[in-house]
């Protein structure tokens, strides 16, 4: 993920949660936060919720994340378990009241879907100049909102 952001012109820094929990890294030094997925917190069902609890139940981390989300000059992106983690931090994030909570698929199996997504007008830095674009997106998950 850091390589992708670097190629897109960002100055990316790879930080592990343990860096934040131990105080070796502080979020006030950054404008962007990208919570990656894949094998974050074991890549088991509910891993993102466990990740969020490591933040919510640690006063120092909780304060850092809340301050970060309340700043006017920041952006966040959650991918896979990172998306699930962010959705479980919604009490810290202004405007996130209606965000979903992910639960196990009704089938109780891993599922994959293929969707055609159209980018609507947005103020998001991630979609700047992409309005009207249509892209095929693969979605694979064990949990759904």
């Amino acid at each position: 993920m850091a390589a992708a952001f670097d190629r897109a012109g960002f100055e990316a820094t790879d930080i592990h949660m343990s860096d934040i929990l131990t105080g070796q890294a502080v979020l006030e030094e950054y404008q962007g936060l990208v919570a990656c997925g894949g094998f974050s917190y074991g890549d088991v069902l509910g891993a993102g919720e466990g990740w969020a609890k490591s933040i919510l139940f640690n006063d120092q981390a909780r304060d850092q994340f809340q301050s970060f989300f309340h700043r006017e000059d920041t952006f966040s992106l959650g991918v896979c378990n990172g998306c699930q983690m962010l959705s479980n931090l919604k009490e810290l994030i202004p405007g996130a009241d209606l965000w979903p909570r992910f639960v196990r698929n009704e089938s109780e199996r891993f599922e994959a879907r293929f969707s055609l997504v159209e980018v609507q007008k947005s103020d998001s830095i991630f979609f700047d100049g992409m309005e009207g674009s249509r892209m095929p997106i693969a979605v694979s998950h064990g949990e759904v909102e």
Side-chain angles (χ1 to χ4, degrees):
M1 186 66 75
F5 270 82
D6 183 63
R7 287 184 188 110
F10 290 83
E11 185 180 325
T13 305
D14 192 12
I15 297 175
H16 194 274
M17 268 304 299
S18 60
D19 297 330
I20 293 171
L21 295 174
T22 62
Q24 291 178 305
V26 289
L27 294 177
E28 71 182 16
E29 297 175 5
Y30 301 95
Q31 287 185 287
L33 181 151
V34 180
C36 301
F39 294 101
S40 300
Y41 280 70
D43 201 30
V44 296
L45 293 177
E49 186 171 357
W51 185 0
K53 287 180 180 175
S54 73
I55 296 164
L56 294 171
F57 297 150
N58 178 300
D59 291 337
Q60 177 185 331
R62 181 186 182 96
D63 291 346
Q64 276 198 61
F65 276 84
Q66 186 164 23
S67 294
F68 179 86
F69 294 132
H70 280 81
R71 287 176 29 206
E72 299 271 330
D73 65 340
T74 65
F75 70 89
S76 303
L77 172 66
V79 177
C80 195
N81 290 347
C83 177
Q84 185 185 70
M85 180 273 283
L86 286 176
S87 76
N88 279 276
L89 294 182
K90 66 182 177 183
E91 66 188 74
L92 307 180
I93 304 171
D97 300 340
L98 300 177
W99 282 12
R101 180 174 185 279
F102 294 90
V103 296
R104 187 175 296 242
N105 290 334
E106 198 171 299
S107 69
E108 298 202 10
R109 296 175 184 217
F110 185 84
E111 298 181 15
R113 302 278 190 279
F114 190 71
S115 301
L116 184 62
V117 176
E118 182 176 354
V119 178
Q120 302 293 310
K121 182 173 173 47
S122 171
D123 293 330
S124 171
I125 63 170
F126 296 113
F127 301 118
D128 186 39
M130 294 179 63
E131 183 178 347
S133 298
R134 290 184 176 194
M135 299 171 284
I137 305 290
V139 180
S140 303
H141 55 84
E143 296 165 316
V144 69
E145 73 156 299

